[in-house]
Amino acid sequence: MPSGSTESTAFRSAIEVIRGVEPRVADAIGQELEDQRDSLKLIASENYASPAVLLAMGNWFSDKYAEGTVGRRFYAGCRNVDTVEALAAEHAREVFGAQHAYAQPHSGIDANLVAFWAVLAARVEAPALERAGARQVNDLSEEDWARLRHELGDQRMLGMSLDAGGHLTHGFRPNISGKMFDQRSYGTDPATGLLDYEALRKTAREFRPLVIVAGYSAYPRLVNFRIMREIADEVGATLMVDMAHFAGLVAGKVLTGDFDPVPHAQIVTTTTHKSLRGPRGGMVLCDSSLAEQVDRGCPMVLGGPLPHVMAAKAVALAEARRPDFHSYAQRIVDNSRALAEGLLRRGATLVTGGTDNHLVLIDVESSYGLTGRQAEAALLDSGVVTNRNSIPQDPNGAWYTSGIRIGTPALTTRGLGTGEMDEIAGLIDRVLTATTAGVTSAGKPSKAQHVLDAKVSDEIAQRATDLLAGFPLYPGIDLG
Ligand code: PLP
């Protein structure tokens, strides 16, 4: 990460300007930097964007409406938005080797909605229009329109189950995807915790989905996208991969061949703020067969694009094209392995027994007799920021859970290496070993309360602070 007084001047000046209007916001921005500097951030979906990425977001691009696509806008005066959107797409195509890139989605959930509707438009709407001899939906009779709406709402999706590491947006009822699609899940082999491709193939043959969604938020191993595509082709499904979590590993060429989703899936979605280390946002990549439908994301499911965020996406993707991003991606995985090995050596049980990517899932119920919620709270008391997560066949359900998910993208950006990861594994193990389950006010065992000696939590928190002091966050930025 670059350092220097130019960055300090830029951020200090920005904060002073804000202070002139609402000092409490200025204070909160400054405090957020301090909090981030002081925390041992192991949340697998977070990172630290570069100063260039952050600065690209705070400007007058925010004022501009730009519905439409590059060169085809519904508003006048979009030439500069065209420049940044085209650059974001060009860098994305280059970084990922994609035929087409769409940089407008505001978030990962939006990117997934764009992708679902692109597939529905291509595979359900377009044939219906053709059958009715209509050019567009407005030309359909009331009867044909009613039939099409019914057909659009009657499609099937096969997605990874939540407890195996899938994401809510992959067809689960609390999310709109679960209300749109009739969803069935595939999971992992209970004996190994690994994706069970043969069971998936069998379910796909029986269920005949329109879309198979691959991708995850909490699966610590590689996914073979060549096999996934083979299964999708066999049953006539479109393969969509949500690489929100591991896009940085694809950009950094750590995931290649069968493990790179882009050559195998017809459509790939991502967030830009996790391992990819860009601004908070989403993106869709696809092959040319779906490009036209994907570009209709606005107005299909999106409002006007966020040109300031697209500017920051272009900067982040330019960073991802540099050779040092490849070594960053490799260090994420090296660190994740070191963390896993450190935990295993100390006796912890890990889902799948280890990791091949940026995240590790500790089974805290089997290892320490704690729920995920108790472990998460005890670690937070000790200055270690993680989040609880379900594990396959979770005995504690989706709220309390039995897992703790930890990831290395953020600490790797900060410069920590494998030696520090081993030490962090030791800190985590010490906290969880010293923690016990609490009791409810009625004296019954609690899944929420935990007991941890303050001496232990204070000692670990101090060690975490000392460790982080050797790896300053945003070293070029001094807010004074
Ligand atoms: N897809 C996956 C696999 C995710 O892990 C997430 C976020 O955690 C999302 C989509 C949603 O991203 P966002 O929070 O940007 O909407």
Side-chain angles (χ1 to χ4, degrees), residues 90-112:
E90 180 192 318
H91 287 318
R93 286 194 304 272
E94 198 57 40
V95 166
F96 295 108
Q99 289 174 3
H100 184 71
Y102 182 63
Q104 291 191 19
H106 308 166
S107 66
I109 183 171
D110 287 357
N112 285 349

Side-chain angles (χ1 to χ4, degrees), residues 311-383:
K313 286 173 187 169
V315 173
L317 287 159
E319 289 175 349
R321 287 182 72 171
R322 294 184 185 158
D324 62 351
F325 196 86
H326 293 207
S327 67
Y328 166 63
Q330 187 56 55
R331 281 183 288 115
I332 290 178
V333 177
D334 294 345
N335 278 345
S336 186
R337 289 211 175 103
L339 200 48
E341 280 159 20
L343 286 161
L344 288 170
R345 200 154 31 77
R346 291 170 175 90
T349 303
L350 305 183
V351 174
T352 77
T355 181
D356 294 321
N357 58 20
H358 64 297
L359 69 88
V360 174
L361 197 54
I362 313 173
D363 177 347
V364 289
E365 172 72 52
S366 311
S367 315
Y368 303 100
L370 299 170
T371 64
R373 184 153 166 197
Q374 289 160 334
E376 176 191 86
L379 288 166
L380 191 62
D381 289 349
S382 316

Side-chain angles (χ1 to χ4, degrees), residues 45 106-110 112 165-167 169-170 215-218 242-245 269-274 280-282 405:
S45 50
H106 308 166
S107 66
I109 183 171
D110 287 357
N112 285 349
H167 192 259
T169 57
H170 300 176
Y216 54 81
S217 335
D242 177 350
M243 63 170 183
H245 257 261
T269 59
T270 186
T271 54
T272 46
H273 49 272
K274 302 185 205 265
R280 187 157 288 282
R405 185 185 69 165

Side-chain angles (χ1 to χ4, degrees), residues 161-166 188 218 361 390-394:
S161 71
L162 281 181
D163 72 351
T188 46
L361 197 54
S390 301
I391 63 170
Q393 294 90 43
D394 200 312

